[in-house]
Amino acid sequence: MTELTRSHGKKSIRASLQPRDLMAETTPAHAWLASVITLFPDAFPGVLGHSLTGTALKEGLWSLETTDLRRFGLTKHRNVDAPPAGGGAGLVLRPDVVGAAIDAARVPGPLVYLSPRGAPFTQDTARRWAAGPGVTLLCGRFEGVDQRVIDHYDITEVSLGDFVLTGGEIAAQAMLDATVRLLPGVLGNAASVEEESFSNGLLEHPQFTKPAEWQGRTVPPVLTSGDHAKVAAWRRAESEALTRDRRPDLWARYRPD
């Protein structure tokens, strides 16, 4: 369950609190802040309200605000789009509508438009965002956003991958999840971040747990040997092999010819 407050088209989201949650009752002024401009504010927090990111939201380690783009629409129908100049299929989000929403919603930190033509979102991107005060994400729809808005606000375009979605909301949640988990105190074990995929330019090594044997397959003996140096060497070798086989692009950067 979430508690929602609305003001001028903006919705602040935090977990509803019980009496025992007195320390989380107000979000600290220094908490990392995500602001999302979207036609579908009710899509948030979505999956971000669950698991570790949801707990961190409840505890005030980060905060989330959504701004309903439709609130800035024109005429009684709240129109936010118009046909593309020069003709063509689809509709384009108007610069006057999007600009007004940005002025109302922008928070300190990067201003980002989620776009398939943007630079790829990577673990390094998440680290940079997490190191700052927050981020403002503009979720596109239809044929995109009028280029004049992007140029006027010097917006950074970022892509989740080489594919096209119906809008930026899913991409926004994925990018926020990747970023929020890097904030101090969100993960119970900080070492988890240091050893996972992309943290050192490699894919993560295989993981094993109990039971020692399952369906005729056993845990590699080195992992139960108690020799930490051998375990580290095995994990590094496995990471290198996986990266070389599955991601030659990463391997070329990690170990160029």
Side-chain angles (χ1 to χ4, degrees), residues 48 53 121-123 126-127 130 172-183 196:
L48 299 171
T53 54
F121 180 83
T122 66
Q123 191 71 8
R127 288 195 193 98
Q173 292 200 24
M175 294 179 190
L176 288 178
D177 183 275
T179 302
V180 168
R181 64 190 301 276
L182 300 179
L183 298 176
E196 61 196 8

Side-chain angles (χ1 to χ4, degrees), residues 7-245:
S7 176
H8 304 295
K10 182 179 291 187
K11 179 177 70 173
S12 297
I13 304 174
R14 62 182 174 86
S16 61
L17 305 175
Q18 303 300 323
R20 61 184 175 82
D21 298 316
L22 296 178
M23 292 185 64
E25 190 162 346
T26 58
T27 300
H30 62 274
W32 194 86
L33 173 59
S35 177
V36 181
I37 303 171
T38 172
L39 282 169
F40 300 98
D42 290 337
F44 295 85
V47 70
L48 299 171
H50 299 275
S51 190
L52 295 175
T53 54
T55 299
L57 184 63
K58 175 181 176 181
E59 294 178 348
L61 298 180
W62 72 291
S63 58
L64 172 64
E65 294 180 351
T66 60
T67 297
D68 187 350
L69 187 60
R70 187 72 65 180
R71 294 287 296 270
F72 301 89
L74 307 174
T75 76
K76 65 178 182 180
H77 299 295
R78 298 290 183 182
N79 293 329
V80 299
D81 50 37
L91 297 166
V92 178
L93 291 173
R94 295 176 55 115
D96 43 2
V97 173
V98 176
I102 290 174
D103 290 339
R106 189 171 185 178
V107 301
L111 173 58
V112 177
Y113 170 43
L114 307 175
S115 165
R117 71 180 191 182
F121 180 83
T122 66
Q123 191 71 8
D124 284 339
T125 311
R127 288 195 193 98
R128 290 197 305 271
W129 291 2
V135 66
T136 303
L137 300 179
L138 171 60
C139 299
R141 281 277 155 177
F142 316 123
E143 295 303 311
V145 176
D146 189 299
Q147 183 65 37
R148 291 171 292 178
V149 176
I150 298 172
D151 295 339
H152 177 76
Y153 290 95
D154 194 23
I155 300 175
T156 300
E157 296 185 62
V158 178
S159 172
L160 187 61
D162 294 338
F163 50 85
V164 179
L165 300 170
T166 56
E169 287 75 18
I170 292 175
Q173 292 200 24
M175 294 179 190
L176 288 178
D177 183 275
T179 302
V180 168
R181 64 190 301 276
L182 300 179
L183 298 176
V186 174
L187 293 183
N189 183 0
S192 297
V193 174
E194 299 173 3
E195 297 177 357
E196 61 196 8
S197 290
F198 310 113
S199 61
N200 58 1
L202 296 171
L203 299 181
E204 187 178 16
H205 54 78
Q207 297 282 8
F208 297 86
T209 185
K210 298 178 180 179
E213 181 178 344
W214 178 79
Q215 299 285 20
R217 301 173 183 270
T218 60
V219 174
V222 65
L223 298 181
T224 58
S225 67
D227 189 322
H228 299 298
K230 289 184 177 179
V231 169
W234 180 88
R235 287 174 170 170
R236 169 64 64 157
E238 290 293 317
S239 289
E240 291 181 348
L242 281 172
T243 305
R244 183 174 58 249
D245 293 343

